[in-house]
Amino acid sequence: MIYSLSTRLLNICIASLCKIQKLDRAEAVIIDAIRLGYIPDVVTYNTLISAYSRFVGVDEAYSVLHRMREAGIKPDVITYNSLIAGASRNCQPSRSLDLFEEMHHNGILPDTWSYNTLMHCFFKVGQPEEAYKIFCDMELRNITPCVTTYNTIINGLCKTGNAIKALRLFRDLKRQGFAPSIVTYNTLIDGLCKSRKSRLAGGVLRELGKSGCTRDLKTCTTVMKCCFRSGNFDRGFEIFSDMRKEGCAFDSFVYCTVISALAKLGKIKEAYERMEEMMKDGVRLDMVCYNTFINVYCKQGEMSLAHQLLNEVQGCGLQSDEYTHAILIHGFCKLGDIDSAMAHLERRPAESNLVASNCLIYGLFKVGRADFALKLFNELSIKDGFTYTIMLHGLCKCGRYLAAFDILMTCLSNRVKISSSAKRAVCIGLRESGFRKEERKLRSAIRLARLLVS
DNA sequence: ATAGGGTTAG
């Protein structure tokens, strides 16, 4: 009784240290506690292993497993599930599978959680077939799937570009008596919105209203974001103010969604107000928040404020990411300060940041350095619809309509998505400079592409 | 111990 009480105390202490990410300290406490006669148990170590795998890395978490064994405590299914979750977070499916094997080897049977996590990992790295195999294995071994299992599959399908299949699965499951949770609805609505199936998403949203589930903050964020994405800004802001009326406590997701929308519309003053409000609410700022703020400053052309914030980020132990750099480079390009943009890009490999490269191409055209833009374009090993759209606009701007024509024809035959304004610019340019034959060819190619796509 | 929402380029 005394032992179990002290173990529980120890576990509470370890859990709080893990929560504030003082992991070295937590382990030191365990060692001291043992010396003082406390007896750690599997929960003590599982807490630590879970925290290491979440905040540090799987290797570090795995080394705790060794020390756990040395202390005479046997790992259980939760120990391994934490490690598998860590490997999954790092997109290491083979590592997850190894852990799965090792678990089997040690006589620990994987449970629903283990399988769910493993499936999630395969979806995350874009291997839905492998995830499906895991699901079959699960059935074979009589491990009963749960709501999370299906939510993982629905999410996985959405994230691998199969939102319609996800919806079909959802319908099938419901027919079989599956009770969706709010997570199921949120996942599906978000997936459909991102695949530009907002009408279907609206249908699922109405279905949620009729179900026994209650919508939550994530539902609202998802729907609001969906409105902004489809250009329905008024409706998006309306959802935000409705949430406020209902007395919702906003988190960083809500604020970042709204602030970005305001920044996109150039409503900088309102963006600042929301930023202030966010700070007043005491929302903890992560890298996404800082990126959102830096973007607001960049939109305003306040590059020194943007940089100041970047320095602040490094001061609080956060790591700037590819978003940060793309935002800053775009900021410089908008101002026509191509040198600063280049200098910034040089510190980061261009190949690994397609958005930044796209911005730079845009910036080069903007200052009239079309040949340099073409050189950069040709050097890119990966290009996307944005790259081509920016190129087309740039080439039209400096009157190189035939070059634009060639690129656009290639895009059409390769089904690369090009903005309609870029297509229009090329057609008009060709016509006005007398390239009638090319214009005709292009227009019929555009018509044909439209027919084939839909 | 697993699943869902937020940040960049035309």
Side-chain angles (χ1 to χ4, degrees):
Chain A
M1 191 61 203
I2 292 166
Y3 278 137
S4 81
L5 179 66
S6 37
T7 299
R8 270 180 64 190
L9 257 166
L10 174 61
N11 289 348
I12 290 168
C13 175
I14 298 306
S16 2
L17 285 169
C18 285
K19 202 171 178 183
I20 55 170
Q21 301 183 33
K22 301 237 182 248
L23 306 190
D24 291 342
R25 182 89 195 92
E27 197 156 6
V29 168
I30 296 179
I31 293 165
D32 283 347
I34 293 173
R35 213 173 293 143
L36 291 169
Y38 287 78
I39 299 175
D41 63 3
V42 65
V43 176
T44 325
Y45 278 96
N46 281 351
T47 309
L48 194 60
I49 286 174
S50 163
Y52 265 106
S53 111
R54 185 179 300 273
F55 303 123
V56 189
V58 188
D59 290 327
E60 290 79 359
Y62 197 80
S63 71
V64 180
L65 178 64
H66 287 304
R67 299 198 283 281
M68 177 178 184
R69 286 211 174 91
E70 276 164 21
I73 295 160
K74 278 198 165 67
D76 64 6
V77 64
I78 296 179
T79 319
Y80 275 97
N81 286 349
S82 304
L83 291 167
I84 295 170
S88 162
R89 240 174 262 124
N90 297 342
C91 300
Q92 300 175 303
S94 56
R95 187 84 196 261
S96 299
L97 279 175
D98 288 347
L99 286 161
F100 220 73
E101 281 291 311
E102 187 182 315
M103 182 172 183
H104 256 299
H105 200 79
N106 290 328
I108 303 166
L109 284 181
D111 61 5
T112 310
W113 292 62
S114 327
Y115 278 97
N116 290 349
T117 311
L118 199 56
M119 261 193 336
H120 178 233
C121 184
F122 277 113
F123 275 123
K124 206 172 161 189
V125 296
Q127 299 182 5
E129 312 83 11
E130 293 301 314
Y132 178 65
K133 279 187 202 159
I134 303 295
F135 181 72
C136 294
D137 191 46
M138 194 172 176
E139 302 259 87
L140 214 67
R141 290 175 197 271
N142 282 324
I143 309 271
T144 319
C146 64
V147 196
T148 302
T149 313
Y150 294 114
N151 289 347
T152 304
I153 297 173
I154 288 172
N155 180 45
L157 286 172
C158 290
K159 297 285 149 74
T160 50
N162 290 303
I164 298 296
K165 280 188 192 165
L167 181 59
R168 210 177 298 150
L169 173 64
F170 174 75
R171 295 266 170 262
D172 283 350
L173 288 171
K174 271 189 86 177
R175 224 169 287 133
Q176 292 166 36
F178 164 73
S181 69
I182 184 61
V183 176
T184 322
Y185 285 107
N186 288 349
T187 307
L188 203 50
I189 292 167
D190 185 57
L192 289 167
C193 280
K194 285 185 179 143
S195 323
R196 304 189 170 281
K197 308 282 177 201
S198 37
R199 274 189 51 185
L200 290 172
V204 177
L205 182 64
R206 276 188 293 279
E207 210 168 310
L208 160 61
K210 283 180 250 162
S211 76
C213 296
T214 321
R215 57 178 74 196
D216 61 11
L217 196 64
K218 291 186 175 74
T219 320
C220 299
T221 318
T222 302
V223 177
M224 185 168 67
K225 173 71 197 172
C226 184
C227 293
F228 292 145
R229 188 181 291 114
S230 59
N232 195 349
F233 287 93
D234 291 340
R235 179 71 193 120
F237 292 128
E238 204 174 282
I239 292 169
F240 180 69
S241 56
D242 286 349
M243 284 162 83
R244 194 197 297 280
K245 270 179 223 150
E246 286 166 25
C248 251
F250 297 147
D251 62 7
S252 65
F253 285 73
V254 177
Y255 277 121
C256 288
T257 308
V258 169
I259 293 168
S260 303
L262 290 168
K264 189 158 277 173
L265 294 176
K267 299 190 172 190
I268 304 298
K269 194 170 150 281
E270 285 177 50
Y272 282 156
E273 284 167 14
R274 296 290 85 78
M275 283 156 71
E276 293 265 338
E277 196 182 325
M278 189 171 169
M279 313 286 262
K280 232 181 277 161
D281 280 359
V283 175
R284 204 181 67 84
L285 301 183
D286 60 12
M287 201 53 232
V288 177
C289 301
Y290 278 109
N291 285 340
T292 307
F293 288 9
I294 291 172
N295 186 41
V296 173
Y297 289 139
C298 286
K299 280 274 177 339
Q300 176 83 316
E302 294 277 11
M303 297 311 287
S304 60
L305 281 176
H307 251 115
Q308 213 173 297
L309 206 53
L310 182 65
N311 291 332
E312 202 179 294
V313 164
Q314 279 142 6
C316 39
L318 289 169
Q319 199 59 246
S320 58
D321 57 18
E322 54 173 17
Y323 283 81
T324 325
H325 299 286
I327 289 164
L328 285 165
I329 286 166
H330 182 242
F332 285 125
C333 287
K334 271 277 178 202
L335 294 174
D337 184 356
I338 210 75
D339 294 334
S340 300
M342 298 273 278
H344 201 90
L345 192 66
E346 265 160 26
R347 270 176 270 141
R348 299 242 144 193
E351 274 312 277
S352 65
N353 196 335
L354 180 58
V355 180
S357 302
N358 288 346
C359 292
L360 201 60
I361 292 175
Y362 156 86
L364 286 165
F365 275 118
K366 191 180 166 77
V367 296
R369 294 169 70 177
D371 288 318
F372 198 172
L374 266 163
K375 182 171 172 290
L376 192 64
F377 171 76
N378 288 323
E379 281 170 3
L380 279 181
S381 59
I382 304 165
K383 305 174 174 81
D384 65 1
F386 279 102
T387 321
Y388 289 104
T389 299
I390 292 165
M391 280 303 293
L392 294 174
H393 276 300
L395 289 169
C396 288
K397 204 174 146 235
C398 60
R400 299 196 187 184
Y401 301 112
L402 286 182
F405 168 74
D406 285 340
I407 290 177
L408 184 49
M409 288 299 274
T410 315
C411 289
L412 290 170
S413 68
N414 292 329
R415 301 264 176 104
V416 178
K417 210 159 164 41
I418 300 297
S419 80
S420 41
S421 72
K423 286 184 224 163
R424 219 167 21 242
V426 181
C427 287
I428 293 171
L430 287 171
R431 189 178 62 223
E432 288 180 351
S433 23
F435 299 111
R436 290 297 167 85
K437 201 178 82 207
E438 284 79 4
E439 190 210 352
R440 256 198 320 276
K441 257 194 200 169
L442 184 56
R443 284 195 188 277
S444 75
I446 291 172
R447 267 196 302 276
L448 193 63
R450 207 172 285 144
L451 282 173
L452 289 178
V453 167
S454 57

